[in-house]
Each structure stands twice: as structure tokens, then as C-alpha cells.
Amino acid sequence: MDVYQVLDKFARRTVLKRRGIVIGSETPWLEAFLLEFGASQVTTLEFGAIKSTHPQISTFTPQDFTIKFLQGEIAPFDFGFSFSSIEHDGLGRYGDVLNPAGDLETMARMLHVIKPGGFFFLAVPCCVDALKWNAHRIYGPLRLKYLFAGWKIVTVVPENVMQSTYSQPVWVLQNTVGCKESFDFMSGIWKFKDYL
């Protein structure tokens, strides 16, 4: 499974002993993976109210989360993960308000919710541009560039995903907003002083 591949490769630097947010989760399978890989705390953001009694999991609806975040009651997170969720934002399928740019707005908000230099793991359908009304969007070369605005693409799993007609890969993104970066000429890697 692509989620395990990504976490095997990146969890030690991005998830282990860190706070994370899950965007969209009707059942806590992703939260269980993140706790298995050592996350200290996981917050789930979901349109429908979820009740959790697990000491390392907290849950919010978007409205409650926004109010508490803006009041400074929720600190920015070290990482985020969303699997098959953001492509629905703004289409009304889950009772949300119709908004043609709902997915793009969610990704822009995550730049404030995830710390500078923090990682966001995102799985959305790709790799042709399409809208399956009102179920979901499929992302291709046109909309992916808007979805990833402000984010550095670290990798995608599987790597050859853009050669297929439909799949749901896991994109590994890094928040570059507010980062102090330096380029390591020996390794050819950008290093983010605020995080790594």
C-alpha cells in the first residue's frame, strides 16, 4: 500500500514524536497508521462530528476547528495527511457549501495550519483533469499546479503515476511558506533551517 511506503520512508523525519492533522476521515484507519508510526498526537478534521475516546486523537468539524485555530487555541501542526478527501471540498457531496475553488482554498489554509517546513501527505485521484459531479475531482496537469501552490513537491508514490490514466498516489509536499532555505551544493538538496 502506498501509504505504508510513504510512511516507511518519511515517518522518522516527519511523524515520529510529532503532532499531526488528518483532513477528512470517516473511519480512523489513517489515524491508526500515524500512531503506529509514532505520532504523539493526531487531530482529525471531518465534516461530520466524530467522537473519539483515544487519548492521542482529538476531532473537530471544520467550523469548530476554524474558530479555535483563529483564537490561538490550536497551535500549527508538524505534519498533515489527507487521503481521498480534498477532491470533494466545495462540491456539496458531504453537506459542504458549493465552492468551485473549495479544494484550492483548503490547500491554501493548510499552509497556515502546518508549520513552515512541515510535511503534508496528500492522496487525490489523478492524472487527467476532470470533474465527476458532484462526487469528486480528478487532478491532471492543469489543476495540480494550483492545488500545489505554495508547496514544494518532495516526491510522489508511485513515482511513475503521471503516466497512468487514473490512480490515487500519495504526494509528499513540504510547506515552504515562511521557511529559511539553503541549498546544499554537495547533495543538491534544499535544506529548511526551521524544520530539518
Side-chain angles (χ1 to χ4, degrees):
M1 178 180 224
D2 295 338
V3 172
Y4 261 119
Q5 260 187 286
V6 166
L7 289 174
D8 276 339
K9 185 172 183 180
F10 290 94
R12 289 188 67 187
R13 288 189 336 169
T14 62
V15 172
L16 184 64
K17 298 181 182 176
R18 290 183 169 87
R19 291 176 55 248
I21 184 166
V22 171
I23 309 301
S25 177
E26 293 179 322
T27 58
W29 69 272
L30 192 48
E31 293 84 342
F33 279 12
L34 294 170
L35 292 176
E36 177 185 344
F37 279 90
S40 62
Q41 183 72 33
V42 178
T43 296
T44 300
L45 188 58
E46 173 61 50
F47 286 121
I50 297 172
K51 185 176 181 179
S52 172
T53 58
H54 194 286
Q56 291 174 275
I57 297 176
S58 56
T59 63
F60 291 95
T61 61
Q63 183 178 4
D64 292 338
F65 180 86
T66 300
I67 291 167
K68 290 191 178 293
F69 189 82
L70 292 175
Q71 292 174 342
E73 296 177 31
I74 301 173
F77 295 90
D78 300 306
F79 70 90
F81 213 124
S82 181
F83 192 98
S84 192
S85 181
I86 289 180
E87 69 269 20
H88 305 291
D89 284 3
L91 298 181
R93 180 179 180 181
Y94 294 100
D96 50 320
V97 175
L98 294 180
N99 178 355
D103 57 337
L104 307 181
E105 290 178 11
T106 296
M107 288 297 288
R109 284 189 195 107
M110 288 301 104
L111 291 168
H112 300 283
V113 171
I114 296 171
K115 293 178 181 177
F119 287 80
F120 190 45
F121 302 93
L122 176 67
V124 291
C126 82
C127 292
V128 296
D129 288 287
L131 173 63
K132 303 292 183 180
W133 182 258
N134 74 340
H136 63 273
R137 298 173 185 87
I138 301 173
Y139 297 88
L142 298 176
R143 198 158 180 100
L144 274 176
K145 65 184 174 186
Y146 297 113
L147 192 70
F148 295 158
W151 298 93
K152 176 185 176 220
I153 299 170
V154 176
T155 192
V156 61
V157 175
E159 290 180 3
N160 62 349
V161 69
M162 293 307 281
Q163 297 168 3
S164 64
T165 56
Y166 179 86
S167 67
Q168 192 146 326
V170 180
W171 298 87
V172 181
L173 309 171
Q174 191 171 32
N175 185 356
T176 60
V177 175
C179 284
K180 297 174 186 149
E181 13 177 62
S182 64
F183 189 75
D184 180 357
F185 290 97
M186 296 302 286
S187 66
I189 297 173
W190 284 96
K191 294 194 176 179
F192 294 87
K193 295 177 185 173
D194 289 348
Y195 190 82
L196 300 177

